[in-house]
Amino acid sequence: MSISNLGIVAHVDAGKTSLTERLLYAAGVIARPGSVDAGSTQTDTLALERQRGITIKSAVVSFPIGDRTVNLIDTPGHPDFIAEVERVLGVLDGAVLVISAVEGVQAQTHILMRTLRRLSIPTLLFVNKIDRLGADDQRVLRQIADRLTPAAIALGSATGLGTRAAQYRPFSSDDPAFTARLVELLAEHDDALLAAYVDGGPGALPPERLRTALARQTAAGLVYPVLFGSAVTGAGVVELMAAIRELLPAACTDASAPPAGRVFKVERGVAGEKVAYVRMFSGTIRVRDRVNGEDKVTAIRVFEHGKAVPRPAVGAGQIGKLWGLAGVRIGDSLGTAAATVDERYFQPPTLATVVVPDRPADKRALRDALTQLAEQDPLINVRQDEAGQELSVSLYGEVQKEVIQATLADEYGIGVHFRETTTICIERPAGTREAVAYLNTESNPYQATIGLRIEPAAPGTRVTFRLAIDPRTVPLYVYKDLDSFRAAMSEYVRDALQVGLSGWQVTDCLVTMFRCGYSVMDGPPSLRGPRSTAADFRKLTPLVVGAALRQAGTVVHEPIHRFHLELPADTLGAVLPALAKLDAIAHATAVRGSVCTVVGEVPAARAYRLQQRLPALTRGEGVLEMAFDHYRPLRPSARSGRVTGGAAGTAGSGRRYTGTA
Ligand code: GDP
């Protein structure tokens, strides 16, 4: 049985959720399609999503199409959640991009399509809502050709547009106009096909030959088939399923190769334990396997026939839920042949805001509620300032504030408002230094010896922890074995690195423990003392980390977004100076007819301002795509982190927050 991991992506309201329900219904997984409007769908899990009719979290549902198992991974549609979209796209074999036949191609559709093309994801375009008043198939086809891709081809047409009776009619293989269009498109990347056509005319190419070429080029991301339909009446849905089976590729299912998978979602199970959603690219991970040296997999569920069912292993091509991986994070690669993870797909949140309860008495309840929310969505990092007075959350964009505000009000009855949005910087060590605290010395109040070396590592590698000590110096009466000691020390070190010299998280470094020691009641004088405890190691670690960091020094880096801007060419003269004012750098500018494209980078601190100013500068026609790109040393002149409001604020100075989650 073959497997395809597919995503349905769409601009908000295009009908992604409704289409998912329709597909599940058509595949016989659910008895009747749920309704977004009645709040009864399979994939919208959060109450908020149900109320607002938007989908925020991705979830997996699976269904069979003939001999193929399709795992459908729901993706969010709002640009503020583009990080989540990209994270999911990276694990897909193919996608269906839904476009509304009424509203047509939107700015967000454009952004999603660019991302799909950039990642070379095979994609079908489904023009939805043909039953709705105002549906216009020809206009949407023109928009697709002009704004999304010249390599799109309609596989059929819509009849009865704008009425409940609207239907999708696939073109027949002996339709000469369709065949000519298809051959012309496919011949661009298929010389043999072109030659056969030139030699013998359309008759020389049997329909099967064209379908195979179409499937091959769709799988290669060279051609984008277009279908029409309605998620509400079900028109075109059966044909869409056939196209998924025929034109989108199946996953590689080589279960005997070395294991490689990628985590694209992490959630908490009923008992509060971490559950990782993993896409396997090759090989097999079994229960009790140790992945990446540390955690042991304790249970596995694999998505089959609409449900996640308990299984002893998850193999190539499949999507599994894995229990037992306490240290796992979204974006992690698992397995010995760890899939090459392109860090660009996994953007960190670059903004933060302080959440203030409307009623001061709600402060405690607010902290508990935010901590719970952060657990559901590990990307919402909750932090508390040192004095315990303020709570801040990390964000991808301004809209997330609205979502958090509504959730707190609806689910916890807590009204909140927000302070200005600031950027989240990071610190990287400036050099390699070490520090040791010896047992039974005056400056060390704890019953432990710890020596740590901190050195800079490559950007994007986060924190790596290693032991380089004599195992006999590890207190095995405290920690079960060397592995448990390594795991515990690694956690203490990571905790200590949460707050660097300037108050930001320290990252991209290698920490090596090169000295260890514990006290023994009747040992030699240098080791004599009350038995060491885990608390001694836990409390001493931040002191040693701090000492090493102070010697090494750190460099504060600010997040930089890359942007891709399309605008009317005659507005470029006004846009370029505005970009310069926002500290943005334009790397390349290209003019094609009346449309101009600018590619460049902008500090995340200025990104929102750019978004806000763009409509006025471009008569509302500018389309801006932005995503986190890299961290850059903070320049003293750019010390402003304030995102809302016009004036510069202070970001890099003395904001110390510690994690509460
Ligand atoms: P999503 O935001 O992309 O998940 O879109 P939804 O599935 O939530 O649909 C948004 C709205 O459009 C809802 O009110 C749906 O009932 C409606 N809708 C979705 N698909 C269709 C369709 O094919 N025809 C009609 N008439 N309405 C649709």
Side-chain angles (χ1 to χ4, degrees), residues 316-329:
Q318 293 180 318
I319 288 186
K321 286 167 86 167
L322 268 55
W323 277 258
L325 307 180
V328 81
R329 289 185 26 171

Side-chain angles (χ1 to χ4, degrees), residues 3 5 91 93 251-262 278-286 289 291 313-319 333-340:
I3 301 171
N5 296 299
V91 305
D93 300 305
C252 152
T253 46
D254 182 1
S256 61
R262 188 182 301 157
V278 178
R279 152 80 205 252
M280 292 302 292
F281 290 100
S282 69
T284 305
I285 290 180
R286 295 183 179 76
D289 276 358
V291 292
V314 56
Q318 293 180 318
I319 288 186
S333 292
L334 297 185
T336 46
T340 46

Side-chain angles (χ1 to χ4, degrees), residues 67-331:
D67 61 349
R68 168 105 38 116
T69 296
V70 173
N71 292 320
L72 204 57
I73 303 170
D74 197 28
T75 54
H78 196 279
D80 271 13
F81 304 105
I82 191 75
E84 219 170 303
V85 177
E86 292 209 1
R87 199 192 296 136
V88 174
L89 295 185
V91 305
L92 297 181
D93 300 305
V96 176
L97 176 64
V98 184
I99 303 168
S100 162
V102 182
E103 286 81 16
V105 170
Q106 306 280 300
Q108 181 63 5
T109 322
H110 190 76
I111 290 173
L112 289 166
M113 185 68 182
R114 282 184 46 79
T115 312
L116 289 163
R117 291 179 61 176
R118 180 160 54 82
L119 304 182
S120 300
I121 312 261
T123 302
L124 302 177
L125 307 182
F126 186 74
V127 179
N128 189 34
K129 303 197 187 184
I130 57 169
D131 61 308
R132 255 209 22 211
L133 199 66
D136 185 340
D137 55 345
Q138 293 310 314
R139 190 190 57 210
V140 177
L141 279 179
R142 275 195 307 277
Q143 289 178 343
I144 290 172
D146 289 348
R147 299 192 53 199
L148 297 186
T149 170
I153 178 152
L155 300 188
S157 62
T159 59
L161 278 167
T163 67
R164 289 287 290 188
Q167 286 301 329
Y168 171 66
R169 291 255 163 73
F171 293 128
S172 108
S173 56
D174 51 22
D175 177 334
F178 169 61
T179 310
R181 277 198 303 275
L182 187 60
V183 171
E184 196 186 329
L185 185 63
L186 295 175
E188 270 184 47
H189 299 281
D190 189 334
D191 292 341
L193 194 137
L194 179 64
Y197 183 63
V198 171
D199 288 349
L205 294 164
E208 311 78 64
R209 167 92 168 79
L210 288 177
R211 293 304 280 198
T212 319
L214 178 62
R216 202 169 51 231
Q217 293 199 23
T218 304
L222 296 170
V223 166
Y224 296 90
V226 183
L227 292 90
F228 295 88
S230 162
V232 162
T233 66
V237 171
V238 170
E239 291 83 354
L240 174 64
M241 291 171 82
I244 289 173
R245 174 69 189 88
E246 191 190 349
L247 301 176
L248 292 181
C252 152
T253 46
D254 182 1
S256 61
R262 188 182 301 157
V263 178
F264 62 93
K265 179 184 167 92
V266 175
E267 66 179 21
R268 293 276 166 178
V270 277
E273 76 284 13
K274 262 193 189 174
V275 185
Y277 285 67
V278 178
R279 152 80 205 252
M280 292 302 292
F281 290 100
S282 69
T284 305
I285 290 180
R286 295 183 179 76
V287 175
R288 284 191 295 282
D289 276 358
R290 263 186 213 287
V291 292
N292 300 6
E294 290 187 17
D295 302 325
K296 210 181 241 183
V297 178
T298 55
I300 294 177
R301 280 173 183 256
V302 173
F303 284 93
E304 282 169 17
H305 298 287
K307 284 196 193 71
V309 284
R311 287 277 177 265
V314 56
Q318 293 180 318
I319 288 186
K321 286 167 86 167
L322 268 55
W323 277 258
L325 307 180
V328 81
R329 289 185 26 171
I330 287 176

Side-chain angles (χ1 to χ4, degrees), residues 10-19 36-37 53-55 128-132 229-232:
H11 172 266
V12 172
D13 262 4
K16 185 184 54 189
T17 312
S18 309
L19 182 61
V36 178
D37 310 297
I54 60 169
T55 311
N128 189 34
K129 303 197 187 184
I130 57 169
D131 61 308
R132 255 209 22 211
S230 162
V232 162

Side-chain angles (χ1 to χ4, degrees), residues 641-654:
R642 207 174 281 188
V643 174
T644 49
T650 51
S653 51

